[in-house]
Amino acid sequence: MDALIIVVAFLLGLLSRQLGYPPLLGYLLAGFTAAELGMGDSAIIATIADVGVTLLLFTIGLKLDLRELAQLPVWGSALAHMVLVGLLTMPVIMLIGQLFPSLSLPSSSSAWTLAFALSFSSTVFAVKMFDERGENAALHATLAIGILVIQDLFAVSFLVLSADYPPSPWALALLALPLTRPLLNSVLNHVGHGELLVLFGIAVALGTYELFEWLHLKGGLGALVAGVLIGRSNKSSELYKSLISLKDLLLLGFFLQIGYYGLPSGEMLVVALLLSALIVLRPLIYFALLAVFGFRTRTAFITGLSLFNYSEFGLIVTAIAMSTGLLSQAWLTTVSLAMVLSFFIATPVNTRVHILYARYADQLRRFERPKRFKNERAAHIGDQVSVVILGMGRVGLGAYQEVRQQKGAVVVGVEESTSKAQALVESGIHCISGDATDYDFWLDTKLAERQLLMLCLSNHRENIYVVNLAREMGFSGQIAVASRFADQQQELQELDCITFNVYADVGRGFANHVLEKSQ
């Protein structure tokens, strides 16, 4: 029966994708189906889920820049949102406790604890959505993840304070962990590029998890810290890419696990629907806060919608409160269902988030402050530029150098990551920070007036969206796209794009290079 869970998850995940939704919604349904049919072992699935979330936190740490967490807009938005959501949710929770006997609350402390649990947004959901859209390096993604990390730190603090035992005195020794960074990076540089690289990442993530647990701290925090220690090293990017597929596979356990919390009663279903309706407040609050901090309305809009749901940490906090008698089992089931419903509401909105912004951009820009956040200032590429390369990874950088050599200074690179764009500029490359899917960026830089766009983005769906956006913006020049698979190449060709298959054509490029050099 355990093997059938994988089959059910695959079929429902495939059905979800065919209907235009991310597979994770199918996985959620598979969890409820498996639980009702008595399939699988919930303890094993919970273990797989824990490993998946641990690797997720580790990979977040690999990409995390602590300087970004220290910025006022990040921790200020996270803190202000939690306070506002708590204050607005509290009266609703108190009313629910009065109206529904099965969900009565023994004290006001119970209500405040529940309001605190419902103030978090899902890290797993946000990261999965950014992965689906290929936006992990975009400003709104780094901003959202920074807010989520701050929230998670609040959750960890709650877990420490509510534990039956305090952290071990030996936990102070963890302050010496940064001293292990040279050793970890040295080992990382010697493990090669194969299975030892993957095993190294798993060993470090799970090892620090167990270390923190042994010291009576949250193990997930240890995995996050380990990722930060290794991050920004020579091979951290390669390690991140090598763990992505494994992390996504193990996260299947997280989505399946939710179904094992059980189906609700009629009262619980009504309350879960009411709580899921409250999530419409979240993007509105985030939008207002981020606009006040000087972010563009697009960044505030997309960031707010990416945090448009309840969190797995909320379930953990609720479970801890249940174990201490503050909340009943009925509340745990209700909160888990509210989280599932929030996923169903947030997913279609996030899938169409760029389309929604383009549709309402004129109205939303009325709320934009004249003085922008430093990373949000309008970009300019110059009227003489005729070739624009979108995405400055290995393929994009190689394309830039070749075009620059043949055509001179008529080319510019566009990179989502602000820090990476700055590093490229410092190395002498004409590069600006920008998001190829950004409607406003197209207007600011007059991209539609250029002659050639070369798309070197890592995500096929993102490539397709940018091609369609270019046509909608009136771009009449040529669009060239680097693809990886034959079916993707065919889809792009049907959109009148010049295509280059990175995998299939690399041999031809290698041969041409060798023959040219050997003459």
Side-chain angles (χ1 to χ4, degrees), residues 287 291 295-302 357 361 364-369 376 440:
F287 182 88
F295 287 95
R296 291 188 301 126
T297 52
R298 178 182 183 271
T299 302
F301 181 77
I302 297 178
Y357 178 77
L364 291 170
R365 276 198 293 266
R366 297 173 186 172
F367 300 97
E368 199 165 88
R369 298 183 67 184
E376 291 275 75
D440 294 337

Side-chain angles (χ1 to χ4, degrees), residues 267-285:
E267 283 190 355
M268 296 178 201
L269 178 59
V270 171
V271 172
L273 288 169
L274 178 60
L275 292 177
S276 63
L278 290 177
I279 63 171
V280 298
L281 297 172
R282 306 165 89 88
L284 296 177
I285 294 173

Side-chain angles (χ1 to χ4, degrees), residues 378 387 425 448:
V387 181
V425 170

Side-chain angles (χ1 to χ4, degrees), residues 159-168 212-218:
L159 298 179
V160 170
L161 293 174
S162 61
D164 295 332
Y165 43 82
S168 166
F212 272 59
E213 288 285 334
W214 182 64
L215 295 172
H216 301 166
L217 293 171
K218 189 63 180 173

Side-chain angles (χ1 to χ4, degrees), residues 257-456:
Q257 180 189 29
I258 294 173
Y260 285 84
Y261 287 112
L263 292 178
S265 65
E267 283 190 355
M268 296 178 201
L269 178 59
V270 171
V271 172
L273 288 169
L274 178 60
L275 292 177
S276 63
L278 290 177
I279 63 171
V280 298
L281 297 172
R282 306 165 89 88
L284 296 177
I285 294 173
Y286 275 121
F287 182 88
L289 289 172
L290 295 175
V292 168
F293 280 120
F295 287 95
R296 291 188 301 126
T297 52
R298 178 182 183 271
T299 302
F301 181 77
I302 297 178
T303 302
L305 289 179
S306 69
L307 304 172
F308 187 29
N309 45 38
Y310 293 122
S311 169
E312 56 278 2
F313 264 121
L315 286 180
I316 297 172
V317 170
T318 305
I320 294 294
M322 184 189 72
S323 66
T324 59
L326 282 174
L327 295 171
S328 64
Q329 169 69 41
W331 268 115
L332 181 61
T333 302
T334 303
V335 171
S336 67
L337 180 61
M339 186 179 79
V340 172
L341 292 174
S342 74
F343 278 25
F344 275 91
I345 295 170
T347 297
V349 174
N350 275 274
T351 302
R352 295 172 53 83
V353 65
H354 296 300
I355 297 172
L356 290 172
Y357 178 77
R359 182 179 300 169
Y360 300 109
D362 292 338
Q363 295 92 318
L364 291 170
R365 276 198 293 266
R366 297 173 186 172
F367 300 97
E368 199 165 88
R369 298 183 67 184
K371 186 177 180 181
R372 292 183 178 180
F373 185 67
K374 61 182 180 179
N375 292 339
E376 291 275 75
R377 290 160 191 165
H380 301 284
I381 60 178
D383 296 333
Q384 77 280 6
V385 170
S386 59
V387 181
V388 181
I389 298 175
L390 300 168
M392 291 294 284
R394 286 175 294 183
V395 176
L397 183 58
Y400 172 90
Q401 292 169 337
E402 187 66 24
V403 174
R404 181 65 184 255
Q405 183 177 346
Q406 293 191 25
K407 292 183 174 291
V410 299
V411 59
V412 66
V414 177
E415 170 57 41
E416 276 186 327
S417 170
T418 304
S419 58
K420 184 175 180 180
Q422 182 61 37
L424 290 171
V425 170
E426 292 173 358
S427 67
I429 292 172
H430 186 194
C431 179
I432 61 172
S433 175
D435 185 348
T437 64
D438 185 348
Y439 176 88
D440 294 337
F441 179 75
W442 277 74
L443 295 176
D444 292 341
T445 57
K446 301 179 181 179
L447 277 188
E449 300 177 11
R450 312 300 164 174
Q451 297 177 12
L452 173 62
L453 298 180
M454 301 180 69
L455 274 61
C456 304

Side-chain angles (χ1 to χ4, degrees), residues 134-176:
E135 297 172 358
N136 287 312
L139 177 61
H140 56 260
T142 57
L143 177 59
I145 291 172
I147 290 172
L148 288 165
V149 170
I150 296 296
Q151 288 185 354
D152 292 349
L153 291 177
F154 277 112
V156 170
S157 300
F158 172 83
L159 298 179
V160 170
L161 293 174
S162 61
D164 295 332
Y165 43 82
S168 166
W170 288 101
L172 290 173
L174 294 175
L175 295 175

